[in-house]
Amino acid sequence: MGQYLKIPPRVLFSAKLWGALLGAAINFGELDSPGFPPKRVQRLVIDHCSAVTMNAAVMGATVQSLNSSAVTWALAKDLYGRHGQYWLIPVGIALGVIPTAIQYLIKRRWPKVQVDYIILPVYSRWLISGVNSIIFSTVIVGVITQGYLRRQHPRWFRKYNYLLGGALDGGTQLIVFILAFAVASAAGKERAFPKWAGNPKGHADHCL
């Protein structure tokens, strides 16, 4: 968006730095608020797939994930070493080269096969994500913008694609903020939201 709006690099960097600092302060205050105490966060994370206490809007999974990563990588030798319980994780980094190498060989052997349009890191990221409800909407937006607008309306795509992306991101953040306080328990009280296909009974990601 900064490049699209032709914002000077220094101004853009300063704005992003200020946003990061402000966001950190707001997140800290939110986690320390009466409606979002640390004990509640821990309970919700433990019951991540429980329909009783689960609330995906305020469960703090990202915070707990960063905390867990910091602890585990501090013990990398014992956890990820040759005799560690999770030795396969660093090995997986090397194994990840294999699918990309196969993709490269296919493209070299059959140049007309458009396997280079398959971005493997993007798809593999979805396989390990804890929140999968975004995949369907992501695919729909991608098909409409990249599959239809880019081919059928290239001038509109070049002119407004970044603006559309910024609008979708901003609108999503705004509605999540409103729903967190109006419906979810970010304000201290949770209000039941009607059940439908997009809000099924239980966990929205169908945790097992």
Side-chain angles (χ1 to χ4, degrees):
M1 284 297 296
Q3 293 178 348
Y4 177 77
L5 298 174
K6 298 180 180 179
I7 300 176
R10 291 185 179 180
V11 176
L12 182 62
F13 175 78
S14 300
K16 295 187 70 173
L17 181 61
W18 165 246
L21 296 175
L22 180 62
I26 292 177
N27 282 325
F28 179 80
E30 186 180 60
L31 288 172
D32 201 40
S33 66
F36 205 144
K39 291 183 179 179
R40 174 175 169 76
V41 175
Q42 293 175 4
R43 177 168 57 85
L44 290 173
V45 171
I46 293 173
D47 296 332
H48 174 58
C49 291
S50 172
V52 179
T53 58
M54 179 278 303
N55 190 322
V58 292
M59 64 186 299
T62 301
V63 178
Q64 293 298 323
S65 176
L66 292 174
N67 181 55
S68 299
S69 297
V71 173
T72 56
W73 284 108
L75 302 172
K77 183 178 180 180
D78 298 318
L79 293 177
Y80 305 115
R82 185 170 54 180
H83 302 292
Q85 184 176 359
Y86 304 104
W87 61 272
L88 192 58
I89 292 180
V91 174
I93 299 176
L95 295 178
V97 177
I98 298 176
T100 305
I102 294 175
Q103 188 180 24
Y104 171 76
L105 294 174
I106 292 176
K107 186 63 179 180
R108 288 293 302 270
R109 179 63 178 83
W110 299 284
K112 293 184 179 181
V113 179
Q114 297 180 337
V115 292
D116 50 326
Y117 285 94
I118 302 176
I119 313 300
L120 292 176
V122 174
Y123 298 117
S124 60
R125 174 67 180 86
W126 283 345
L127 298 177
I128 61 173
S129 175
V131 180
N132 298 316
S133 55
I134 64 171
I135 296 178
F136 185 64
S137 58
T138 302
V139 171
I140 291 179
V141 172
V143 169
I144 294 175
T145 57
Q146 303 296 325
Y148 174 71
L149 293 176
R150 187 175 185 178
R151 296 181 179 181
Q152 302 299 326
H153 304 279
R155 294 181 61 185
W156 189 98
F157 179 86
R158 288 194 299 268
K159 191 174 183 179
Y160 297 110
N161 182 56
Y162 283 110
L163 189 61
L164 175 63
L168 291 173
D169 288 341
T172 301
Q173 295 294 334
L174 179 61
I175 195 62
V176 167
F177 177 80
I178 293 175
L179 288 176
F181 284 90
V183 178
S185 57
K189 182 179 180 181
E190 183 177 359
R191 294 172 178 82
F193 199 79
K195 298 300 179 183
W196 63 292
N199 184 44
K201 185 178 180 180
H203 200 279
D205 289 331
H206 303 285
C207 277
L208 301 177

